[in-house]
Structures are given as structure tokens and as C-alpha cells.
Amino acid sequence: MNFLLSFMVMLFICVQINAQKLTIVNAEDNNPISHAILLDHSAKKWHRVNVDGTIIISALSIQDSFSIRAHGFKTKGFRISQIPITDTIIALDEMGISLNDIVIAASRWSQQSSDQSQKNIGISLQEVALKNPQTAADLLGISGKVFIQKSQQGGGSPMIRGFATNRLLYSIDGIRMNTAIFRAGNIQNVISLDPFAIERTEVLFGPSSVIYGSDAIGGVMSFQTLSPMLSDDDSPNMNWNIHSRYSSANNEMTGHADFRIGWKEFASVTSITHSNYGDLYMGSHGPSEYLRPFSVKRIGDKDSIIQNPDQQLQIPSGYSQLNIMQKFLYTPHEDWHIEYGLHLSKTSEYDRYDRHIRYKNGLPRYGEWKYGPQIWNMHALSIQHAGQYAFYDSMQIRLAYQFFEESRISRDIYMNTREIRKEQVDAYSFNIDLVKSIGEVQWYYGLEGVLNDVQSMGINQNIVNGDTFNGPSRYPNSDWQSFGAYLTGNYALDEKTNIQSGLRISYYGINATFDTTFYPFPFTATSLSNMSLTGNAGIVHRISNDLSLSANIATAFRSPNIDDMGKVFDIQAGYVVVPNTSLKAEQALNGDIGLTKIFADKVKIDIAGYYTILNDALVRRDYTLNGQDSILYDGELSRVQAIQNAATAFVWGLQFGLEAKFGYGLSFHADINHQIGEEEMDDGTKSPSRHAPPLFGMSSLRYKKGSFVVDLGVQFSGERSFETMPFEEIGKPEIYAVDMNGKPYSPAWYTLNLKVGYDIHSNLRVNAGIENITDQRYRPYTSGIVSPGRNFVLSLQLH
């Protein structure tokens, strides 16, 4: 009680100050620069401007001097005494290419990316507005460095450096999104995020377990959602945006609105988006195996196979989605920022398209196979404090509760029993992150705790009379917990060389209760726990202002979760996966080197090479249950398998980037990614890694003049021949084309895309485009659904 009273007193005995607001704009067209950064030289702190290019510097306690930086613009430096009390506009001049850029993903705190030994990228708001991604998965795909797999239109499973699903980590406003039921198979949780409500997107490549803990083996995807904006005077600061978008390939209709209002100490932002996607139309030129000749429809009390009049229409694949976000910011003092955020996301039911094209005896296997509504809610409280204290200069505390719900609804064709499997996860987490400068070393350290409570249920339903009865659940009712502590340091050896290193110790544990009603498990309850130690070390050396070298070595881990230990499911016809309670964490060791070279401030080449070894890999292998190698599962005799620490895997690859500015608003950009992965099989042979896609990338030629921009781009992927197909993928012929020998393979493909944007009024911007101009029919590697054919996109933004 005394603590509460003290805290309330602290909130209300605030010191009022005169506000000094800076607005950072482009000197060419006076448009705000939303990605600008203010560097406080004495405190060595980075501060981001608001999306409208503003920042209140009187709230930053700058003692001496600062500089304003933004990627693509010349840096300007100032002394605090030079800034008048009144509002000031600072215009930055565009410049040639430099080594400098800013991201936050590397350490949860803003840092200059060129000082980081680990490769990282950011996706700008301007790029997102021009490319108009329909989902957050598509948003990652426009980077050219992340490969996206889709089993259905309501999907999107990123692949980074040969890893995917539960070997990647998702961070939303600094909060871990991964749950205890993230599976090794493709996942679509990222589509719960609203691209219109995302302010910054950053990707960190390679192991990142020191900061982020379990799962951060292949990389981290960090999303920062819209932030409230304070006012610098007594009048409220208001900002609003309305978006509408139409896409022809799936008759997409999306509407979005966000509204900000802020006073000196209190601010709010509200965002709402609704999208409706119809059945997806594929292209005209490509493999005939991808066509959809028929579909299943329930007519009366009978399943009927219906011939599709248009075989390019992928029936059923449509769905809808609603996203709502609300944030409040309270700043009782210039050193304190308290923010609460609420996120609500819900999809309609959506069909798993790859299961609808799975056949048995020449006929569709399923009468229905769909996911129930995917629900994600998050309540997050963030408390930031800045000041010169013995143990920290800046501190951030994050407390979060998340709720996840997903379900699977399936029924064999001509059968009356529908199987419904529903999972709910209550996820609790806390993070304390601190930074302290001591001499030339910047120290970052913190604590993390995560608890997931998993509830799983199975229901069988007679679709004729509506009767329901219990069925086997997908998972045991269980809890998964993890606790970790980390310490990293960033040391400036001299003006040209930065050294980073860090350590983390983590504990993880599982408690599970198994129902033996349907399967004769030799146990009813089990638990496991263990610890993991991870570390990293890296160096960045700027040989000159236009040449930089980096090297990094890091370990990472993925602790077994409920999906690994306790799941019962079918992977393909004739196989069933059962629980295994004797698991330990996967351990990864990675080394990478990078080179960045700039020629005459006009051309930038970025090359990164990496090699990752994964030991004790959690993979599916043949298994026995009570001495039996096969059991009945959903009425079919199926070979028993289980997740086991039974393999070693490796991935190596190269990432190549090229950026060129030719002057007069003309620029060129290209990304190419090549990765090769292998994993060890039961008999000691090697199979190509499932999550290492073939060579892929994109390139674009762009012209920009004022608010007008036009972009002509190519997106492409190489072939995965039958000889290089993962053994697991060979067992899914329904999603692949057929080569001249009648074997499944993934053909190479490309799309040609045109994007245009223009401010037709100071408050109205139009973005339009034609995607897949040549109407290619293609299916990205391991995807179940065929990508859109020629697609006309029109988007209007009113602000």
C-alpha cells in the first residue's frame, strides 16, 4: 500500500516544461521524414521521431549537442543552445548511399545497424505503402530477403536462412509472440498482425538467443506497432488516416482507419482494419497440375464432387479478418513513459487448401478441412525510465498477457463425423531490459520470464443430427515455462572498430497431463526441465567511410515445447506422430561474415555468408507405442513416428544486395539469397532441408520525383528438382508439378510487377499497381496454394 501511494505521488508531482518541437522534413518536397533518428551525443542515446516527423526535444533532457540522421539523407548536427523555444523545422538534404542506417532489433534498444556485427534490415513505411502487402506475411516478403510459404490463402510462414516456424522468433512491440504450440510444420500466426498498424518492421538474421531466448535460431522478426503522439503545447495534437484497397485476384476489399490524439502528458492511438478476401485466382501460364478441376460441395446430406467451370479459381480459399488496436501513453515526467496496448485479431474460418487437393483412390480425401477462427489478443504494459543511475541509464519493463485460439475442423469425404480439435493458450510474460554506459562500453542486460498454459480439446460431431461426443485432443493439457537472464556489451575499440559479445542462461520446463481414453500412452503425466547457456561475439571494422567488414559467431537453442513433446497428429496418409517425453533442447552454432562496399556514393554492394550447424535437432523419426510400430488413427492403420533428438543438420548460404542511385530520382535495388541445407536421416543418409528454399530474390528499378514514384520490379525463385527435393516433400505430390519422368518437383518462376504512387492532393494519396503482369501460374516452394495471377491493386489514403 505504501508503494502504491508513493507511486501515485510521483505521478502527480510533475515538473511542467516548455515544449520545443522539431519537425524533420525532406528538403526537396517538405514531406515529413518518419524514419529520422535523433542522437543525443552526451548520453549516447537514440530517439526516434514520430510518424509525422516530429519530436519534442525538451522532453529528452539533452545537455549539450545532438544530430539528426535518416537513411538516404545527410546528417545535421546542432547544439541545444541553437534551438529556439518555438517550434523548428529541420530540412535534411538527400544524399548518396552511406553505411549508416538505424534499427532496434539487435538489442531491444536503438543502435546504428552499421555498428552491429549481425546482419539486419528494416522495411520502411514508404516501401510498405507503395508495395501494398495484404498481410504481415506479405510485408516480410517485400524485403526480398525472407521467403514466404503458404498452405492456404489465410497463411504465411516465413523462411529465413534455411529455418522456419518454431526456429524463428516473432517479437511484437518487444514482446515474444511464439507459444508452446508453435509447430515444426508451417504456421500462419504472423497474419494476426495488421500491416496498416505496423510502424516499423525489422529482421535480424541468424542466431539471436542471447537477447530473445528459445527459438531465435534462424532469425528474429521485430514489429513495432503504431505509437501514440504527445502534443508540444496546450492544444491537442490530432492525426488520422483512412485507407481503402481493392485487389482483383481475390476481390480483396480492405478498409482501415487510425486516429491519434495527444496532449502534453497523455496520448492515444486507435486503429481498426477489416479485410475480406474472396477465392484466389491463379495465373494462366504454368503447370496444368496446379489447376483446380473440381471441388467438394455438401448438397443436402451428401457430399458431391462438383466440376469447376473455371479451373483457375481456387475453391475454397476465401476468408475475412478483423484487427483492432488501442494504445494509451502517459508521461507523468520527462523521464517516465507508461504505455498500455490492446491488440485484438480474429479471422473467419478459412480452408486449408493443400488438404482439399489431397486425393485418395483418385477422389478427394476430405469432405471438409479448415481452420476455425484464428484469435489473438494481447494486453501489454510498458514502463520506460531514463536517467543517470548507478545501474542503468535507461530501463524498460514489459508485462504482457496474450490469448491464442486455433482449431482444426476436418471430415473425410462421404463420412458424417466431423473432427474438431481446438487449442487455447494463455501466455504470460515479463521483460526487464536495461542499458548502462561505463566508459567506452555500452552494457545491455535484462531478465525474461514466460509462462504458457495450454488447453486442448477434441470434439467429434455428427453433421446429420448434430450430436457431439468427446474425441482425442491434439495436445495434453499442460504448461510451459522459461526464465532467462542476459548480459551483452558493445565496446568501441576506436572510431573504426566495434566489438560485441554476450551471454544468456535460460531455464525451461514442461508439465503435462495425458488422456489415455483414446490412445494407450504408457504414461498419464510427465514433466521435463533443463537449462541452456548461449553466447555470441562479433566485430565490425570500418576500413574506410565506404568499406566495412563484419564477423560474428553465436550459439542458439530451441527448447522442446508442447508441440514437440505431446502432439498427436497425421503428417501425411499412413503416418501418425505420437508424444515423446524424453526430449532436450536443440543447439545451434553459427558463424557469418559480411562485407559492405560503397562506390562513389552511388553504388552499394552488401554480401553476407553464413554457416549454421544444428545439433540434437528435433525431427520426426519412426517410433513405437507400447511396442507397436503402427496404430489406428482416424480409422486408418498408420505408422508411428515421434519427434526425437535424432539428427544433425546444417545450412550454409549467401545473401547478396545491390543498391544504386543514378541521380535525377532514378535508383535500382536487388536482393539474391542462396541457401543449401541438409539433415541427417535414420539410416545416416542426407536429405535436403525442407526449410531451405531454392535461390530467390527480387530486383526493382525506381523513379521518384517529389511525391510521385514508379517502381518496376521482378520477383523470382529458382527450381527445386526431384533430385534435390527433401524426402518429406516427395510424399506430397499433390502440391508439386510433374517433371518429364513423372516425378514431383518445384519449377522456377518469376513475376513482373509495376507500382505507382502519387499525392493527388495534400490530403489524398493514391497507390496503384499491376502484379504478375505476365500472368504466371506458379506455386512457391512447399506452398499448398497457387499464388495470384495478374492482379490489379488500387489503394487510396486520406490523411
Side-chain angles (χ1 to χ4, degrees):
M1 188 66 179
N2 289 334
F3 171 80
L4 180 60
L5 289 174
S6 300
F7 183 71
M8 295 301 295
V9 170
M10 178 194 67
L11 294 184
F12 287 102
I13 57 172
C14 312
V15 177
Q16 297 298 317
I17 57 175
N18 291 323
Q20 292 173 279
K21 182 174 73 173
L22 301 183
T23 302
I24 317 303
V25 301
N26 186 333
E28 179 187 0
D29 54 20
N30 289 321
N31 283 329
I33 303 175
S34 61
H35 63 284
I37 297 291
L38 185 149
L39 172 61
D40 180 347
H41 295 158
S42 58
K44 298 180 182 179
K45 293 180 184 177
W46 298 95
H47 304 279
R48 289 187 179 271
V49 303
N50 296 314
V51 292
D52 62 353
T54 63
I55 186 168
I56 303 173
I57 61 170
S58 55
L60 304 180
S61 301
I62 297 174
Q63 300 299 318
D64 184 21
S65 62
F66 66 93
S67 58
I68 304 291
R69 302 185 181 189
H71 181 61
F73 293 86
K74 294 180 180 178
T75 298
K76 282 191 175 182
F78 303 88
R79 290 193 176 277
I80 192 65
S81 58
Q82 294 177 284
I83 305 300
I85 295 178
T86 57
D87 294 351
T88 302
I89 295 176
I90 295 178
L92 299 185
D93 297 315
E94 293 188 4
M95 63 173 291
I97 298 171
S98 74
L99 292 174
N100 294 332
D101 199 0
I102 304 295
V103 296
I104 63 169
S107 66
R108 296 184 186 269
W109 301 94
S110 296
Q111 291 183 311
Q112 190 165 297
S113 65
S114 57
D115 289 339
Q116 301 305 303
S117 59
Q118 197 169 1
K119 183 173 176 60
N120 50 75
I121 63 166
I123 305 173
S124 69
L125 278 174
Q126 293 79 6
E127 192 72 10
V128 173
L130 180 64
K131 295 295 180 66
N132 259 313
Q134 290 191 354
T135 69
D138 299 328
L139 187 159
L140 291 165
I142 69 174
S143 70
K145 296 181 177 68
V146 179
F147 191 89
I148 302 298
Q149 181 277 351
K150 293 186 179 183
S151 296
Q152 63 281 328
Q153 187 176 193
S157 188
M159 298 183 184
I160 299 176
R161 288 192 170 186
F163 295 98
T165 61
N166 54 19
R167 290 172 181 155
L168 301 176
L169 190 127
Y170 302 82
S171 174
I172 319 302
D173 292 339
I175 295 165
R176 174 191 183 92
M177 190 187 201
N178 296 41
T179 72
I181 62 171
F182 266 36
R183 55 191 179 274
N186 300 305
I187 59 176
Q188 56 268 1
N189 297 75
V190 72
I191 72 167
S192 291
L193 305 179
D194 177 11
F196 286 106
I198 294 174
E199 203 166 71
R200 297 191 304 275
T201 303
E202 292 148 358
V203 181
L204 193 61
F205 295 90
S208 307
S209 282
V210 169
I211 300 296
Y212 292 98
S214 178
D215 304 0
I217 292 178
V220 173
M221 293 155 284
S222 176
F223 302 90
Q224 176 65 46
T225 58
L226 296 175
S227 301
M229 294 166 48
L230 296 169
S231 175
D232 62 315
D233 53 35
D234 293 330
S235 60
N237 175 29
M238 290 185 288
N239 180 278
W240 53 273
N241 286 282
I242 297 175
H243 293 258
S244 63
R245 183 176 61 215
Y246 171 76
S247 302
S248 63
N250 56 358
N251 283 317
E252 178 216 11
M253 297 293 293
T254 290
H256 164 82
D258 64 73
F259 176 72
R260 287 183 169 99
I261 185 168
W263 292 267
K264 282 187 175 182
E265 297 180 355
F266 180 80
S268 167
V269 58
T270 304
S271 171
I272 183 168
T273 302
H274 183 269
S275 297
N276 188 75
Y277 309 100
D279 291 329
L280 186 62
Y281 201 80
M282 69 179 75
S284 302
H285 310 293
S288 60
E289 294 88 357
Y290 295 170
L291 294 171
R292 181 73 163 138
F294 48 77
S295 58
V296 177
K297 185 176 182 180
R298 188 77 174 177
I299 301 177
D301 292 334
K302 182 180 179 182
D303 289 326
S304 298
I305 299 176
I306 306 297
Q307 297 298 315
N308 289 337
D310 190 340
Q311 297 187 18
Q312 291 176 240
L313 189 63
Q314 300 178 85
I315 303 173
S317 58
Y319 75 105
S320 62
Q321 182 167 335
L322 175 67
N323 282 82
I324 299 173
M325 186 196 76
Q326 176 64 57
K327 283 186 178 181
F328 298 109
L329 172 64
Y330 179 49
T331 57
H333 187 270
E334 61 186 33
D335 293 336
W336 288 91
H337 290 251
I338 302 171
E339 183 178 282
Y340 165 76
L342 169 65
H343 300 260
L344 305 174
S345 176
K346 183 177 182 180
T347 70
S348 65
E349 293 182 342
Y350 54 100
D351 289 88
R352 182 165 173 177
Y353 185 79
D354 63 341
R355 293 300 173 96
H356 283 280
I357 59 174
R358 181 177 287 183
Y359 303 108
K360 184 177 182 180
N361 299 324
L363 296 174
R365 177 178 176 180
Y366 296 103
E368 57 181 311
W369 210 119
K370 57 189 174 184
Y371 290 105
Q374 178 171 292
I375 300 172
W376 171 64
N377 300 336
M378 181 169 79
H379 300 264
L381 178 66
S382 171
I383 302 172
Q384 298 181 49
H385 184 228
Q388 303 295 319
Y389 294 92
F391 295 103
Y392 67 88
D393 298 329
S394 295
M395 174 187 69
Q396 183 153 340
I397 300 172
R398 297 181 179 93
L399 304 173
Y401 165 74
Q402 298 177 78
F403 172 78
F404 300 82
E405 180 176 298
E406 59 185 56
S407 56
R408 293 156 180 80
I409 304 166
S410 63
R411 181 177 56 81
D412 286 350
I413 194 168
Y414 304 132
M415 303 299 290
N416 293 330
T417 300
R418 173 187 290 144
E419 293 94 22
I420 302 170
R421 306 293 179 259
K422 179 183 289 187
E423 284 73 51
Q424 295 179 336
V425 180
D426 294 291
Y428 307 86
S429 64
F430 76 86
N431 293 86
I432 303 176
D433 299 292
L434 306 101
V435 59
K436 178 66 181 177
S437 293
I438 302 177
E440 295 300 319
V441 182
Q442 195 92 344
W443 293 102
Y444 305 89
Y445 62 104
L447 301 171
E448 179 184 58
V450 181
L451 172 64
N452 284 190
D453 181 62
V454 179
Q455 299 295 315
S456 183
M457 62 197 76
I459 301 170
N460 291 344
Q461 180 184 46
N462 186 305
I463 63 173
V464 176
N465 58 28
D467 290 346
T468 61
F469 48 96
N470 291 334
S473 63
R474 182 176 172 90
Y475 299 110
N477 290 334
S478 49
D479 65 74
W480 179 90
Q481 59 270 337
S482 173
F483 302 95
Y486 74 91
L487 171 67
T488 70
N490 190 336
Y491 175 58
L493 187 63
D494 53 43
E495 291 184 354
K496 294 185 176 181
T497 308
N498 269 59
I499 297 174
Q500 301 102 40
S501 63
L503 286 172
R504 179 189 182 104
I505 186 167
S506 300
Y507 163 85
Y508 59 87
I510 296 176
N511 298 294
T513 302
F514 291 86
D515 183 355
T516 58
T517 303
F518 299 96
Y519 302 111
F521 300 131
F523 40 75
T524 57
T526 189
S527 62
L528 65 84
S529 62
N530 215 324
M531 301 187 75
S532 184
L533 180 67
T534 53
N536 65 1
I539 185 170
V540 179
H541 179 60
R542 289 195 182 194
I543 297 174
S544 64
N545 289 333
D546 55 19
L547 179 61
S548 175
L549 296 174
S550 64
N552 191 68
I553 185 168
T555 61
F557 76 101
R558 185 177 78 82
S559 60
N561 62 21
I562 307 303
D563 186 86
D564 298 310
M565 187 192 76
K567 179 171 61 176
V568 179
F569 79 116
D570 65 316
I571 50 171
Q572 61 191 63
Y575 289 86
V576 61
V577 173
V578 300
N580 178 8
T581 59
S582 302
L583 298 177
K584 58 184 179 180
E586 299 177 320
Q587 301 289 337
L589 173 63
N590 174 82
D592 55 66
I593 57 174
L595 179 148
T596 302
K597 172 64 178 174
I598 296 174
F599 300 89
D601 294 334
K602 298 294 184 182
V603 178
K604 177 181 177 181
I605 293 177
D606 186 359
I607 302 173
Y610 58 91
Y611 188 98
T612 305
I613 300 174
L614 186 66
N615 293 311
D616 295 322
L618 292 164
V619 294
R620 286 192 295 265
R621 291 290 183 265
D622 288 344
Y623 196 64
T624 59
L625 184 63
N626 292 332
Q628 298 181 340
D629 62 7
S630 298
I631 63 172
L632 283 176
Y633 181 79
D634 284 345
E636 181 176 357
L637 187 65
S638 300
R639 182 69 171 88
V640 174
Q641 294 189 326
I643 302 296
Q644 303 173 53
N645 294 104
T648 299
F650 79 86
V651 179
W652 71 268
L654 293 171
Q655 293 176 290
F656 174 81
L658 172 65
E659 182 182 356
K661 290 187 176 181
F662 305 115
Y664 305 101
L666 194 63
S667 63
F668 177 79
H669 183 89
D671 283 293
I672 300 175
N673 306 270
H674 176 65
Q675 49 279 312
I676 293 178
E678 285 188 352
E679 68 176 49
E680 182 183 11
M681 306 305 290
D682 258 349
D683 58 3
T685 60
K686 303 287 186 180
S687 169
S689 173
R690 174 189 177 192
H691 291 139
L695 180 143
F696 72 95
M698 63 172 52
S699 63
S700 70
L701 181 66
R702 180 172 298 181
Y703 173 75
K704 184 179 185 299
K705 180 67 173 178
S707 70
F708 176 75
V709 59
V710 58
D711 183 284
L712 181 63
V714 176
Q715 188 174 7
F716 58 87
S717 175
E719 176 185 299
R720 179 56 56 87
S721 67
F722 173 77
E723 289 74 21
T724 61
M725 287 277 281
F727 296 168
E728 182 179 341
E729 294 302 298
I730 292 174
K732 306 172 186 176
E734 66 272 9
I735 66 173
Y736 291 104
V738 176
D739 65 17
M740 63 180 61
N741 298 315
K743 303 294 186 181
Y745 83 112
S746 181
W749 55 266
Y750 80 95
T751 62
L752 183 63
N753 313 288
L754 178 67
K755 300 286 186 176
V756 178
Y758 182 63
D759 289 340
I760 61 178
H761 186 272
S762 59
N763 294 324
L764 180 62
R765 182 169 182 83
V766 59
N767 287 290
I770 308 175
E771 300 172 344
N772 194 2
I773 295 173
T774 57
D775 205 26
Q776 299 298 302
R777 182 187 306 144
Y778 69 101
R779 176 180 272 146
Y781 167 70
T782 76
S783 290
I785 196 163
V786 182
S787 291
R790 186 181 296 117
N791 185 28
F792 296 90
V793 181
L794 178 64
S795 173
L796 298 176
Q797 178 188 4
L798 186 64
H799 58 89

